[in-house]
Amino acid sequence: MGVEGSSGADAVVARLRARLGERVDLSPASLEAARADRSGHSSPGAPLAVVHAESVADVQETLRIAHETGTPVVTRGAGTGLAGAAGAGPGEISLSTLRMNRILEIRPDDLLAVVEPGVLGGDLGRALAPHGLWWAPDPASREISTVGGNIATGAGGLLCAKYGVVRDAVLAIDLVLADGRLLHLGHRSVKGVTGLDLTSLVIGSEGVLGVVVGATLKLRRTVPGSPCTVAATFADVRAGAVASAAVTASGVQPAIMELMDAASLVAVHRLLGLDDPAPGTAQLTIQTDGPAAADEAGRIADVLRDAGGTVSVSHDPEEGERLLAIRRSMHPAMAALGTTLIEDVSVPRSALAAMFDEIARIERAYDLTIPTVVHAGDGNLHPNFIFDGPEVPPRIWQAADELFRAAIRLGGTLTGEHGIGTLKSRWLADELGEDQWEIQRRIARVFDPAGILNPGKVFAARGGTNA
Amino acid sequence: MGVEGSSGADAVVARLRARLGERVDLSPASLEAARADRSGHSSPGAPLAVVHAESVADVQETLRIAHETGTPVVTRGAGTGLAGAAGAGPGEISLSTLRMNRILEIRPDDLLAVVEPGVLGGDLGRALAPHGLWWAPDPASREISTVGGNIATGAGGLLCAKYGVVRDAVLAIDLVLADGRLLHLGHRSVKGVTGLDLTSLVIGSEGVLGVVVGATLKLRRTVPGSPCTVAATFADVRAGAVASAAVTASGVQPAIMELMDAASLVAVHRLLGLDDPAPGTAQLTIQTDGPAAADEAGRIADVLRDAGGTVSVSHDPEEGERLLAIRRSMHPAMAALGTTLIEDVSVPRSALAAMFDEIARIERAYDLTIPTVVHAGDGNLHPNFIFDGPEVPPRIWQAADELFRAAIRLGGTLTGEHGIGTLKSRWLADELGEDQWEIQRRIARVFDPAGILNPGKVFAARGGTNA
């Protein structure tokens, strides 16, 4: 897809420059950077141009030109996505909202903030903290990813089991359509059932419905007190999974509950220069927060001991951060081993142990090691496939295919928080079914009749294992 | 709309009876009952038939016949709606899911339940309680309304500010399309961002996208301990609204926070045979729950006293229920005064006092009394218009029109939890804007190309004050 022929491309760029001036970036470095996100996947070549929108009007102007010339547009925030959705290719416009980074309003009385899409999660958190407020979604990229990108992917994170995901934390969205029109979706009130819930529909839509140019965020009050941290090791990851289920069953709600399997733990220990754990050792790291944090940590420690864990409890926030740093070092530890395909399946919590059985089966069948970390409070697993070179080998995709099918079979889903993008579009119909796939694609066409928004993403390919 | 001519209607009924036998109900009492919901609004006449579906297959069969014959279908649960969405008229099939009332699965480990749509909220609550679980949405109709109806309207209730609305409490929906095909939307895992979020889209869609035939509900653990209740009276409702905002601003999160204005309070006192309150008196009734309930009630009492309230605190659950009974008697108290149009606007919490100023202005301009109760924790107001006779007089609609526009102007919405139905469809485009209205209508057409699902509801009429 894209604008055919260089003269057509030149004409589009000329129109963009005429209306947007220096905000149209043709530098080779920018064009190259716009091809990829953090998934490791790159588009086949550089886009026509990168437009650095600084206002809603800039986005509208870009879309109007794209609409009139039939030029595809790939919207981009900070480029931290892990599914390839933000990568722009030949003939496409890369539309960056990163410069639209103002926080327009913070309302402690209404527990809301109005922001532009390019605000980084870290900056938002620092702006809200003096008001005793926070926005709960906490993807691992939080510090460096944008609110607009979080909305476009329906981001999750570590705190979701207790504090929810992006879908639970957005009241209203301003959306520019493929033809440049601006829609205001949702409202500032907490409640509202007026017509269809298009705000929810846009969350997680990965750039195929429109460009998010503003958002009204639902905030929480800062949780009082400091967290307590419980770390426990288990003889194997299955025992750790069973223990995490026992914590959930105990009725105590941790703020964070992260499970690392043996391969993950070894890789991180080596990266951080720590002694190797005993072979097979898996680790659960749990944080409780709020007024009852210490009591809850004690109750959780009891549950973990009963489940066979070797348990330590820390009431010291710094020690807690040090323990969590092991979990947070997962991505660099994987990157040190080779190219990484980070998967993202999600299953019902009771199926965690069964999902680890499936992963063990796939490891044996494909002679692979699949280091896996889990948001155990909500059943969201990140199995990592490691390989050499830039492209995912077919054998790895076959193993991933078995992983996806196992998750769906267990009542779960292909992607808990990263999205479909380019990397999983061929499995989308397997999960949705052909009828639902077709209905979703038609809904996207209602917003974008010509299909110029993020073409080739999400609804691109249908069914089957092979690329 | 509907099947033209009695022979066409007879043929449709004959086909329904051939396939569904005694589940096709032609009794005059059933046909008459199917015309209305609890809004007081009735369709112009009786529908063709009431189909009492007992299975997903029954719903599919009904829809296939409707699809092939172009017959409109109005889905109905317990008929407790307040916007007219479930009323079926001439030429239409009334499809009841009330007999599909099985609870298929309760999973304490995954905090979910799988239910048929006709399960009553009261029955669900009693089935979950022995497991230490509950489903949080609590419309006033909870005891007698269906889960399917709660989903179709996106129901709210008293506990929403702390525990969320239906949108926050559904993981997956099975939906039968207008042509009888069955879609499985969502998944059993807590997280999931696979494709567009059609589960959220169906919540609150009022029967125009499909028939909800099953749902996977997200449960909570029963809150431990017993609630504490704080009741406070204020010299006028504006002072009560300011006090409720002060409670929100204090950072304490009540489970329930209900505000009644003077006219409401007088009407309820008279219904219950209590002494009249002092003229102008408004009342806030607040409940706290959980381990910190008593402490939170104490802090709230201090806030209310500082705000000028006369405050009483009760730690006795029975006394708490007695205090809340005053709030719960609102609807019968209104019914005792005449025919009631219960409105349902929602505004940001900080705008509550301003909304009461608007209501006072409208009362003066139209020489009306508009008794109003408020879910003050989330800014959802229920102003009541009282009149004689079955039809809403044009003057009342004009006053309601001003009410709606005021709520939208304050950043709120036409309907917080009751829906659009027939009664508010002419204001829908005013809030959404023409572009969004058209996109929403086209999305509905993706699900239902021929427009046989609940025609004349939600997207029926456009703009303007007059019916």
Side-chain angles (χ1 to χ4, degrees):
Chain A
M1 200 136 182
V3 177
E4 284 172 41
S6 60
S7 66
D10 289 349
V12 170
V13 172
R15 285 187 64 172
L16 287 170
R17 293 212 81 144
R19 301 305 299 259
L20 296 156
E22 294 304 311
R23 302 193 289 289
V24 181
D25 181 353
L26 304 176
S27 77
S30 296
L31 296 178
E32 181 61 26
R35 291 176 56 196
D37 61 9
R38 296 278 178 112
S39 67
H41 180 82
S42 275
S43 75
L48 289 179
V50 177
V51 175
H52 300 285
E54 295 179 359
S55 66
V56 175
D58 284 355
V59 172
Q60 291 185 278
E61 192 60 55
T62 304
L63 270 295
R64 273 185 220 112
I65 293 169
H67 173 68
E68 286 164 20
T69 58
T71 311
V73 174
V74 179
T75 307
R76 183 181 187 84
T80 58
L82 292 168
E92 299 181 331
I93 298 168
S94 173
L95 173 60
S96 169
T97 59
L98 202 54
R99 291 186 190 170
M100 296 174 66
N101 61 1
R102 290 180 303 164
I103 297 170
L104 302 173
E105 197 180 348
I106 295 174
R107 287 293 295 258
D109 50 356
D110 286 325
L111 294 174
L112 64 81
V114 182
V115 303
E116 291 186 334
V119 173
L120 300 183
D123 292 336
L124 176 64
R126 283 182 287 278
L128 294 175
H131 300 277
L133 300 172
W134 63 302
W135 191 51
D138 70 326
S141 63
R142 179 173 190 144
E143 197 57 40
I144 54 166
S145 63
T146 65
V147 171
N150 294 170
I151 290 171
T153 53
L158 272 61
L159 294 164
C160 305
K162 185 162 184 179
Y163 294 111
V165 292
V166 167
R167 183 192 153 191
D168 305 307
V170 178
L171 294 171
I173 290 173
D174 286 347
L175 189 79
V176 172
L177 295 176
D179 60 9
R181 282 179 297 161
L182 175 63
L183 296 189
H184 302 287
L185 313 176
H187 28 70
R188 291 168 68 99
S189 54
V190 185
K191 273 189 192 164
V193 291
T194 300
L196 301 177
D197 184 358
L198 298 193
T199 307
S200 289
L201 191 70
V202 167
I203 294 170
S205 64
E206 301 188 58
V208 304
L209 300 186
V211 180
V212 174
V213 295
T216 304
L217 308 178
K218 192 173 168 182
L219 306 178
R220 289 175 175 272
R221 289 185 196 287
T222 309
V223 178
S226 48
C228 293
T229 308
V230 185
T233 52
F234 293 87
D236 58 47
V237 74
R238 203 177 192 289
V242 170
S244 76
V247 171
T248 299
S250 77
V252 182
Q253 178 64 65
I256 290 175
M257 182 157 65
E258 295 292 311
L259 175 62
M260 300 179 73
D261 75 350
S264 305
L265 204 58
V266 167
V268 169
H269 274 235
R270 288 182 183 167
L271 181 82
L272 299 180
L274 305 172
D275 291 341
D276 269 7
T281 301
Q283 181 165 316
L284 258 179
T285 313
I286 296 176
Q287 267 191 350
T288 56
D289 65 1
D295 172 56
E296 291 176 352
R299 289 166 64 194
I300 287 171
D302 290 342
V303 170
L304 298 179
R305 280 189 203 100
D306 287 348
T310 303
V311 182
S312 69
V313 179
S314 171
H315 300 274
D316 173 25
E318 282 182 30
E319 169 72 3
E321 267 312 299
R322 200 189 60 71
L323 287 166
L324 266 182
I326 291 175
R327 166 63 183 88
R328 292 195 209 276
S329 302
M330 180 64 186
H331 294 326
M334 293 297 104
L337 298 179
T339 313
T340 312
L341 175 69
I342 306 173
E343 278 314 331
D344 175 43
V345 292
S346 202
V347 296
R349 286 164 283 209
S350 65
L352 257 189
M355 191 67 212
F356 273 110
D357 292 342
E358 296 280 354
I359 292 171
R361 179 183 61 74
I362 296 166
E363 286 182 315
R364 287 191 303 272
Y366 289 85
D367 191 24
L368 290 170
T369 300
I370 308 175
T372 299
V373 293
V374 188
H375 305 309
D378 55 34
N380 184 195
L381 300 96
H382 294 307
N384 288 259
F385 293 94
I386 318 287
F387 50 91
D388 298 324
E391 291 300 318
V392 181
R395 195 173 62 96
I396 298 282
W397 274 131
Q398 283 165 23
D401 175 77
E402 295 211 25
L403 185 81
F404 299 153
R405 291 178 198 281
I408 294 170
R409 219 162 38 231
L410 290 168
T413 180
L414 276 175
T415 172
E417 56 187 15
H418 293 172
I420 297 296
T422 52
L423 293 180
K424 289 185 182 169
S425 61
R426 60 190 130 129
W427 286 277
L428 183 59
D430 290 340
E431 178 168 332
L432 299 184
E434 293 290 327
D435 285 344
Q436 189 185 167
W437 188 94
E438 184 60 29
I439 280 180
Q440 292 206 358
R441 198 190 59 82
R442 285 187 195 166
I443 290 171
R445 287 292 175 275
V446 168
F447 287 80
D448 173 23
I452 63 169
L453 293 178
N454 233 0
K457 313 286 170 59
V458 188
F459 300 112
R462 298 180 72 170
T465 304
N466 301 307
Chain B
M1 200 139 182
V3 178
E4 284 173 40
S6 61
S7 66
D10 289 349
V12 171
V13 171
R15 286 188 63 174
L16 288 170
R17 294 212 79 145
R19 302 306 299 257
L20 295 156
E22 294 303 312
R23 304 193 288 287
V24 181
D25 181 352
L26 303 177
S27 76
S30 296
L31 296 178
E32 181 61 25
R35 290 176 58 196
D37 61 9
R38 296 277 179 112
S39 68
H41 180 83
S42 275
S43 74
L48 290 179
V50 177
V51 175
H52 300 284
E54 295 179 358
S55 66
V56 175
D58 284 355
V59 173
Q60 291 186 279
E61 192 60 55
T62 304
L63 269 296
R64 273 185 219 113
I65 293 169
H67 172 69
E68 286 164 21
T69 58
T71 312
V73 174
V74 179
T75 308
R76 181 181 188 85
T80 59
L82 292 167
E92 299 181 331
I93 298 168
S94 173
L95 172 59
S96 168
T97 58
L98 202 55
R99 291 188 190 170
M100 296 174 66
N101 61 0
R102 290 180 302 164
I103 297 171
L104 302 173
E105 197 181 346
I106 295 174
R107 287 293 295 258
D109 51 356
D110 287 325
L111 293 175
L112 64 81
V114 181
V115 302
E116 291 186 335
V119 173
L120 300 183
D123 292 336
L124 177 65
R126 282 181 287 277
L128 294 175
H131 301 277
L133 300 172
W134 64 301
W135 191 50
D138 70 328
S141 63
R142 179 172 191 144
E143 197 56 39
I144 54 165
S145 62
T146 66
V147 171
N150 293 169
I151 290 172
T153 52
L158 272 62
L159 294 164
C160 305
K162 185 162 184 179
Y163 295 110
V165 291
V166 167
R167 182 192 154 190
D168 306 307
V170 179
L171 294 171
I173 290 172
D174 286 347
L175 188 79
V176 172
L177 294 176
D179 60 10
R181 283 180 295 160
L182 175 63
L183 296 188
H184 303 287
L185 313 176
H187 27 71
R188 291 168 68 99
S189 55
V190 186
K191 274 189 193 164
V193 291
T194 300
L196 301 177
D197 184 358
L198 299 193
T199 308
S200 288
L201 191 69
V202 167
I203 294 170
S205 64
E206 301 188 57
V208 304
L209 301 185
V211 181
V212 174
V213 294
T216 303
L217 307 178
K218 191 174 169 183
L219 306 178
R220 291 176 175 270
R221 288 184 197 289
T222 309
V223 178
S226 49
C228 293
T229 309
V230 185
T233 52
F234 294 87
D236 58 48
V237 74
R238 204 178 192 288
V242 170
S244 75
V247 171
T248 299
S250 76
V252 181
Q253 177 64 65
I256 290 175
M257 181 156 65
E258 296 292 312
L259 176 62
M260 299 178 74
D261 75 350
S264 305
L265 204 58
V266 167
V268 169
H269 273 233
R270 289 183 182 168
L271 181 81
L272 299 180
L274 304 172
D275 290 342
D276 269 7
T281 302
Q283 181 165 317
L284 257 180
T285 312
I286 296 176
Q287 266 191 350
T288 57
D289 64 1
D295 173 55
E296 290 176 353
R299 289 165 64 194
I300 286 170
D302 291 343
V303 170
L304 298 179
R305 279 189 203 100
D306 288 349
T310 303
V311 182
S312 68
V313 179
S314 171
H315 300 275
D316 173 27
E318 283 181 30
E319 168 71 4
E321 269 311 299
R322 200 190 59 74
L323 288 165
L324 267 181
I326 291 175
R327 165 64 182 89
R328 293 195 209 276
S329 303
M330 180 64 184
H331 295 326
M334 292 298 104
L337 298 180
T339 313
T340 312
L341 175 69
I342 306 173
E343 277 315 329
D344 175 43
V345 293
S346 201
V347 297
R349 285 165 283 210
S350 65
L352 257 188
M355 191 66 213
F356 273 109
D357 292 342
E358 295 280 354
I359 291 170
R361 178 183 63 74
I362 295 165
E363 285 182 315
R364 287 191 302 272
Y366 289 85
D367 190 23
L368 290 169
T369 299
I370 308 176
T372 298
V373 294
V374 188
H375 306 310
D378 54 35
N380 184 194
L381 301 96
H382 295 308
N384 288 259
F385 294 94
I386 319 286
F387 50 91
D388 297 323
E391 291 300 319
V392 181
R395 195 173 62 96
I396 298 282
W397 275 131
Q398 283 165 22
D401 176 78
E402 294 210 25
L403 185 81
F404 299 154
R405 291 178 197 281
I408 294 170
R409 219 162 39 232
L410 290 168
T413 181
L414 275 176
T415 172
E417 55 187 16
H418 293 172
I420 297 297
T422 51
L423 292 180
K424 288 184 182 170
S425 62
R426 59 191 130 129
W427 287 277
L428 183 59
D430 289 339
E431 177 169 332
L432 299 183
E434 292 291 326
D435 285 344
Q436 189 185 166
W437 188 95
E438 184 60 30
I439 280 180
Q440 293 207 359
R441 199 191 57 85
R442 285 187 194 166
I443 290 171
R445 286 292 175 274
V446 169
F447 287 80
D448 173 23
I452 63 168
L453 295 177
N454 234 359
K457 314 287 171 59
V458 187
F459 300 113
R462 298 179 72 169
T465 303
N466 300 308

